[in-house]
Amino acid sequence: NASGSTYTFRYNTATRMLEVLYVPPTYTVVFKDWNGATLKTQYVKRGNPAYAPQNPSRAGYIFTGWDRDFSWIYENTTVTAQYSLNTVNVMGEFNNWEGTGMVPAGGNKYTATIELPAGTYKFKIKHADTWYGNGGTIENSTLATSAIGWEMVWDQGDCTLNAAGGTYTFNFNTETRMLEILYKGAIY
């Protein structure tokens, strides 16, 4: 049974033997992005793996992998990139405000604005199903000493904000995991 395979027959006059050479079939493997655009095409012999292109990117989403296994190819195969929505949330005890989805602010930055009365607030940042905090205390009156913000670390304690009251804008960079807090138009 040839099952789509190629066999070459050759008679060896020196050995007086009939040689059968098996040539496995070659299949086309196409890697596609979410929108159907072809990222890579390759030709793979039966039983061999295909090799994925560099992980693609999509604005507002996180690449999560491919929709099927391509470690052993046995037929023509299309592999499609998978993504999940790149969400960022500020979650905490903000006087009955339980949390908000941050909105994209360009690049890797997400932002949310909250009106807070004077008080002490605990919060964390949630991004891609991971909680980030820094376990530190942010004083409204002394925030100007750090113009670049605060590093948010996986599996750390809540951040504490001792707020003077007013409008607070939280800016979170998903690449650097740095948090900036703007208060009444100035970075604190």
PDB file of all heavy atoms in Angstrom, residues 151-174:
ATOM      1  N   GLU A 151       7.668  50.198  40.438  1.00  0.00           N
ATOM      2  CA  GLU A 151       7.706  48.890  39.799  1.00  0.00           C
ATOM      3  C   GLU A 151       6.685  47.979  40.467  1.00  0.00           C
ATOM      4  O   GLU A 151       6.663  47.828  41.679  1.00  0.00           O
ATOM      5  CB  GLU A 151       9.092  48.265  39.910  1.00  0.00           C
ATOM      6  CG  GLU A 151       9.174  46.929  39.204  1.00  0.00           C
ATOM      7  CD  GLU A 151      10.566  46.321  39.238  1.00  0.00           C
ATOM      8  OE1 GLU A 151      11.403  46.773  40.024  1.00  0.00           O
ATOM      9  OE2 GLU A 151      10.780  45.383  38.471  1.00  0.00           O
ATOM     10  N   MET A 152       5.845  47.385  39.640  1.00  0.00           N
ATOM     11  CA  MET A 152       4.836  46.454  40.124  1.00  0.00           C
ATOM     12  C   MET A 152       5.364  45.040  39.881  1.00  0.00           C
ATOM     13  O   MET A 152       5.781  44.713  38.771  1.00  0.00           O
ATOM     14  CB  MET A 152       3.517  46.684  39.398  1.00  0.00           C
ATOM     15  CG  MET A 152       3.008  48.124  39.519  1.00  0.00           C
ATOM     16  SD  MET A 152       2.693  48.639  41.208  1.00  0.00           S
ATOM     17  CE  MET A 152       1.087  47.917  41.435  1.00  0.00           C
ATOM     18  N   VAL A 153       5.347  44.213  40.920  1.00  0.00           N
ATOM     19  CA  VAL A 153       5.976  42.906  40.871  1.00  0.00           C
ATOM     20  C   VAL A 153       4.922  41.824  41.089  1.00  0.00           C
ATOM     21  O   VAL A 153       4.030  41.978  41.920  1.00  0.00           O
ATOM     22  CB  VAL A 153       7.086  42.803  41.937  1.00  0.00           C
ATOM     23  CG1 VAL A 153       7.789  41.454  41.878  1.00  0.00           C
ATOM     24  CG2 VAL A 153       8.098  43.929  41.764  1.00  0.00           C
ATOM     25  N   TRP A 154       5.080  40.714  40.382  1.00  0.00           N
ATOM     26  CA  TRP A 154       4.171  39.587  40.526  1.00  0.00           C
ATOM     27  C   TRP A 154       4.189  39.063  41.951  1.00  0.00           C
ATOM     28  O   TRP A 154       5.230  38.962  42.580  1.00  0.00           O
ATOM     29  CB  TRP A 154       4.574  38.477  39.563  1.00  0.00           C
ATOM     30  CG  TRP A 154       3.832  37.195  39.792  1.00  0.00           C
ATOM     31  CD1 TRP A 154       2.560  36.925  39.429  1.00  0.00           C
ATOM     32  CD2 TRP A 154       4.316  36.031  40.441  1.00  0.00           C
ATOM     33  NE1 TRP A 154       2.208  35.651  39.815  1.00  0.00           N
ATOM     34  CE2 TRP A 154       3.288  35.081  40.440  1.00  0.00           C
ATOM     35  CE3 TRP A 154       5.529  35.692  41.029  1.00  0.00           C
ATOM     36  CZ2 TRP A 154       3.412  33.822  41.001  1.00  0.00           C
ATOM     37  CZ3 TRP A 154       5.660  34.432  41.587  1.00  0.00           C
ATOM     38  CH2 TRP A 154       4.606  33.525  41.565  1.00  0.00           C
ATOM     39  N   ASP A 155       3.032  38.761  42.480  1.00  0.00           N
ATOM     40  CA  ASP A 155       2.843  38.102  43.766  1.00  0.00           C
ATOM     41  C   ASP A 155       3.410  38.898  44.943  1.00  0.00           C
ATOM     42  O   ASP A 155       3.909  38.322  45.899  1.00  0.00           O
ATOM     43  CB  ASP A 155       3.467  36.698  43.726  1.00  0.00           C
ATOM     44  CG  ASP A 155       2.839  35.779  44.757  1.00  0.00           C
ATOM     45  OD1 ASP A 155       1.699  36.037  45.178  1.00  0.00           O
ATOM     46  OD2 ASP A 155       3.499  34.809  45.170  1.00  0.00           O
ATOM     47  N   GLN A 156       3.356  40.218  44.867  1.00  0.00           N
ATOM     48  CA  GLN A 156       3.748  41.069  45.991  1.00  0.00           C
ATOM     49  C   GLN A 156       2.489  41.564  46.692  1.00  0.00           C
ATOM     50  O   GLN A 156       1.391  41.431  46.180  1.00  0.00           O
ATOM     51  CB  GLN A 156       4.584  42.255  45.512  1.00  0.00           C
ATOM     52  CG  GLN A 156       5.937  41.863  44.990  1.00  0.00           C
ATOM     53  CD  GLN A 156       6.829  41.277  46.071  1.00  0.00           C
ATOM     54  OE1 GLN A 156       6.990  41.848  47.141  1.00  0.00           O
ATOM     55  NE2 GLN A 156       7.390  40.119  45.805  1.00  0.00           N
ATOM     56  N   GLY A 157       2.680  42.166  47.833  1.00  0.00           N
ATOM     57  CA  GLY A 157       1.545  42.665  48.601  1.00  0.00           C
ATOM     58  C   GLY A 157       0.864  43.841  47.930  1.00  0.00           C
ATOM     59  O   GLY A 157       1.343  44.387  46.940  1.00  0.00           O
ATOM     60  N   ASP A 158      -0.283  44.221  48.508  1.00  0.00           N
ATOM     61  CA  ASP A 158      -1.023  45.363  48.000  1.00  0.00           C
ATOM     62  C   ASP A 158      -0.174  46.628  48.065  1.00  0.00           C
ATOM     63  O   ASP A 158       0.700  46.765  48.917  1.00  0.00           O
ATOM     64  CB  ASP A 158      -2.267  45.623  48.860  1.00  0.00           C
ATOM     65  CG  ASP A 158      -3.320  44.553  48.695  1.00  0.00           C
ATOM     66  OD1 ASP A 158      -3.251  43.800  47.712  1.00  0.00           O
ATOM     67  OD2 ASP A 158      -4.214  44.492  49.558  1.00  0.00           O
ATOM     68  N   CYS A 159      -0.437  47.553  47.164  1.00  0.00           N
ATOM     69  CA  CYS A 159       0.096  48.912  47.263  1.00  0.00           C
ATOM     70  C   CYS A 159      -0.851  49.678  48.180  1.00  0.00           C
ATOM     71  O   CYS A 159      -2.057  49.430  48.186  1.00  0.00           O
ATOM     72  CB  CYS A 159       0.093  49.590  45.899  1.00  0.00           C
ATOM     73  SG  CYS A 159       1.092  48.766  44.670  1.00  0.00           S
ATOM     74  N   THR A 160      -0.313  50.601  48.937  1.00  0.00           N
ATOM     75  CA  THR A 160      -1.133  51.457  49.789  1.00  0.00           C
ATOM     76  C   THR A 160      -0.952  52.887  49.324  1.00  0.00           C
ATOM     77  O   THR A 160       0.172  53.354  49.179  1.00  0.00           O
ATOM     78  CB  THR A 160      -0.711  51.324  51.272  1.00  0.00           C
ATOM     79  OG1 THR A 160      -0.847  49.955  51.651  1.00  0.00           O
ATOM     80  CG2 THR A 160      -1.570  52.200  52.158  1.00  0.00           C
ATOM     81  N   LEU A 161      -2.062  53.563  49.055  1.00  0.00           N
ATOM     82  CA  LEU A 161      -2.030  54.967  48.650  1.00  0.00           C
ATOM     83  C   LEU A 161      -2.659  55.792  49.761  1.00  0.00           C
ATOM     84  O   LEU A 161      -3.830  55.603  50.098  1.00  0.00           O
ATOM     85  CB  LEU A 161      -2.800  55.176  47.348  1.00  0.00           C
ATOM     86  CG  LEU A 161      -3.036  56.629  46.918  1.00  0.00           C
ATOM     87  CD1 LEU A 161      -1.715  57.343  46.656  1.00  0.00           C
ATOM     88  CD2 LEU A 161      -3.931  56.673  45.683  1.00  0.00           C
ATOM     89  N   ASN A 162      -1.876  56.671  50.365  1.00  0.00           N
ATOM     90  CA  ASN A 162      -2.402  57.633  51.330  1.00  0.00           C
ATOM     91  C   ASN A 162      -2.748  58.883  50.549  1.00  0.00           C
ATOM     92  O   ASN A 162      -1.895  59.711  50.253  1.00  0.00           O
ATOM     93  CB  ASN A 162      -1.369  57.922  52.423  1.00  0.00           C
ATOM     94  CG  ASN A 162      -1.195  56.736  53.359  1.00  0.00           C
ATOM     95  OD1 ASN A 162      -2.137  55.994  53.606  1.00  0.00           O
ATOM     96  ND2 ASN A 162       0.006  56.545  53.857  1.00  0.00           N
ATOM     97  N   ALA A 163      -4.025  58.987  50.175  1.00  0.00           N
ATOM     98  CA  ALA A 163      -4.481  60.026  49.259  1.00  0.00           C
ATOM     99  C   ALA A 163      -4.964  61.262  49.999  1.00  0.00           C
ATOM    100  O   ALA A 163      -5.626  61.161  51.026  1.00  0.00           O
ATOM    101  CB  ALA A 163      -5.598  59.477  48.380  1.00  0.00           C
ATOM    102  N   ALA A 164      -4.637  62.417  49.417  1.00  0.00           N
ATOM    103  CA  ALA A 164      -5.122  63.685  49.959  1.00  0.00           C
ATOM    104  C   ALA A 164      -6.540  63.967  49.465  1.00  0.00           C
ATOM    105  O   ALA A 164      -7.206  64.849  49.980  1.00  0.00           O
ATOM    106  CB  ALA A 164      -4.189  64.821  49.541  1.00  0.00           C
ATOM    107  N   GLY A 165      -6.984  63.214  48.468  1.00  0.00           N
ATOM    108  CA  GLY A 165      -8.314  63.412  47.899  1.00  0.00           C
ATOM    109  C   GLY A 165      -8.232  64.172  46.593  1.00  0.00           C
ATOM    110  O   GLY A 165      -7.415  65.078  46.440  1.00  0.00           O
ATOM    111  N   GLY A 166      -9.058  63.778  45.627  1.00  0.00           N
ATOM    112  CA  GLY A 166      -9.074  64.444  44.333  1.00  0.00           C
ATOM    113  C   GLY A 166      -9.140  63.434  43.202  1.00  0.00           C
ATOM    114  O   GLY A 166      -9.554  62.296  43.378  1.00  0.00           O
ATOM    115  N   THR A 167      -8.691  63.855  42.029  1.00  0.00           N
ATOM    116  CA  THR A 167      -8.707  63.002  40.845  1.00  0.00           C
ATOM    117  C   THR A 167      -7.345  62.345  40.685  1.00  0.00           C
ATOM    118  O   THR A 167      -6.321  63.027  40.622  1.00  0.00           O
ATOM    119  CB  THR A 167      -9.030  63.837  39.589  1.00  0.00           C
ATOM    120  OG1 THR A 167     -10.286  64.479  39.788  1.00  0.00           O
ATOM    121  CG2 THR A 167      -9.093  62.960  38.353  1.00  0.00           C
ATOM    122  N   TYR A 168      -7.361  61.016  40.581  1.00  0.00           N
ATOM    123  CA  TYR A 168      -6.125  60.238  40.421  1.00  0.00           C
ATOM    124  C   TYR A 168      -6.205  59.479  39.107  1.00  0.00           C
ATOM    125  O   TYR A 168      -7.199  58.819  38.824  1.00  0.00           O
ATOM    126  CB  TYR A 168      -5.951  59.252  41.581  1.00  0.00           C
ATOM    127  CG  TYR A 168      -5.663  59.945  42.886  1.00  0.00           C
ATOM    128  CD1 TYR A 168      -6.696  60.492  43.636  1.00  0.00           C
ATOM    129  CD2 TYR A 168      -4.371  60.073  43.337  1.00  0.00           C
ATOM    130  CE1 TYR A 168      -6.440  61.151  44.819  1.00  0.00           C
ATOM    131  CE2 TYR A 168      -4.104  60.727  44.532  1.00  0.00           C
ATOM    132  CZ  TYR A 168      -5.137  61.262  45.266  1.00  0.00           C
ATOM    133  OH  TYR A 168      -4.869  61.913  46.432  1.00  0.00           O
ATOM    134  N   THR A 169      -5.150  59.571  38.319  1.00  0.00           N
ATOM    135  CA  THR A 169      -5.060  58.812  37.080  1.00  0.00           C
ATOM    136  C   THR A 169      -3.941  57.797  37.234  1.00  0.00           C
ATOM    137  O   THR A 169      -2.798  58.157  37.537  1.00  0.00           O
ATOM    138  CB  THR A 169      -4.793  59.728  35.875  1.00  0.00           C
ATOM    139  OG1 THR A 169      -5.882  60.658  35.770  1.00  0.00           O
ATOM    140  CG2 THR A 169      -4.695  58.928  34.593  1.00  0.00           C
ATOM    141  N   PHE A 170      -4.290  56.536  37.050  1.00  0.00           N
ATOM    142  CA  PHE A 170      -3.328  55.443  37.128  1.00  0.00           C
ATOM    143  C   PHE A 170      -2.902  55.082  35.712  1.00  0.00           C
ATOM    144  O   PHE A 170      -3.741  54.751  34.879  1.00  0.00           O
ATOM    145  CB  PHE A 170      -3.978  54.223  37.784  1.00  0.00           C
ATOM    146  CG  PHE A 170      -4.317  54.411  39.226  1.00  0.00           C
ATOM    147  CD1 PHE A 170      -5.412  55.157  39.624  1.00  0.00           C
ATOM    148  CD2 PHE A 170      -3.528  53.822  40.207  1.00  0.00           C
ATOM    149  CE1 PHE A 170      -5.732  55.327  40.956  1.00  0.00           C
ATOM    150  CE2 PHE A 170      -3.837  53.980  41.547  1.00  0.00           C
ATOM    151  CZ  PHE A 170      -4.938  54.736  41.930  1.00  0.00           C
ATOM    152  N   ASN A 171      -1.604  55.166  35.436  1.00  0.00           N
ATOM    153  CA  ASN A 171      -1.053  54.762  34.139  1.00  0.00           C
ATOM    154  C   ASN A 171      -0.147  53.564  34.377  1.00  0.00           C
ATOM    155  O   ASN A 171       0.798  53.648  35.160  1.00  0.00           O
ATOM    156  CB  ASN A 171      -0.240  55.892  33.501  1.00  0.00           C
ATOM    157  CG  ASN A 171      -1.115  57.041  33.066  1.00  0.00           C
ATOM    158  OD1 ASN A 171      -2.222  56.829  32.597  1.00  0.00           O
ATOM    159  ND2 ASN A 171      -0.636  58.252  33.228  1.00  0.00           N
ATOM    160  N   PHE A 172      -0.435  52.463  33.690  1.00  0.00           N
ATOM    161  CA  PHE A 172       0.345  51.241  33.862  1.00  0.00           C
ATOM    162  C   PHE A 172       0.938  50.832  32.531  1.00  0.00           C
ATOM    163  O   PHE A 172       0.244  50.758  31.520  1.00  0.00           O
ATOM    164  CB  PHE A 172      -0.544  50.116  34.404  1.00  0.00           C
ATOM    165  CG  PHE A 172       0.188  48.833  34.657  1.00  0.00           C
ATOM    166  CD1 PHE A 172       1.143  48.757  35.655  1.00  0.00           C
ATOM    167  CD2 PHE A 172      -0.094  47.707  33.911  1.00  0.00           C
ATOM    168  CE1 PHE A 172       1.816  47.568  35.899  1.00  0.00           C
ATOM    169  CE2 PHE A 172       0.570  46.514  34.135  1.00  0.00           C
ATOM    170  CZ  PHE A 172       1.530  46.445  35.140  1.00  0.00           C
ATOM    171  N   ASN A 173       2.262  50.570  32.519  1.00  0.00           N
ATOM    172  CA  ASN A 173       2.958  50.136  31.318  1.00  0.00           C
ATOM    173  C   ASN A 173       3.098  48.616  31.394  1.00  0.00           C
ATOM    174  O   ASN A 173       3.784  48.102  32.276  1.00  0.00           O
ATOM    175  CB  ASN A 173       4.330  50.811  31.222  1.00  0.00           C
ATOM    176  CG  ASN A 173       5.032  50.490  29.924  1.00  0.00           C
ATOM    177  OD1 ASN A 173       5.096  49.345  29.502  1.00  0.00           O
ATOM    178  ND2 ASN A 173       5.588  51.513  29.297  1.00  0.00           N
ATOM    179  N   THR A 174       2.453  47.890  30.480  1.00  0.00           N
ATOM    180  CA  THR A 174       2.457  46.432  30.536  1.00  0.00           C
ATOM    181  C   THR A 174       3.818  45.829  30.211  1.00  0.00           C
ATOM    182  O   THR A 174       4.092  44.700  30.585  1.00  0.00           O
ATOM    183  CB  THR A 174       1.417  45.840  29.563  1.00  0.00           C
ATOM    184  OG1 THR A 174       1.708  46.277  28.240  1.00  0.00           O
ATOM    185  CG2 THR A 174       0.014  46.266  29.960  1.00  0.00           C
TER     186      THR A 174
END
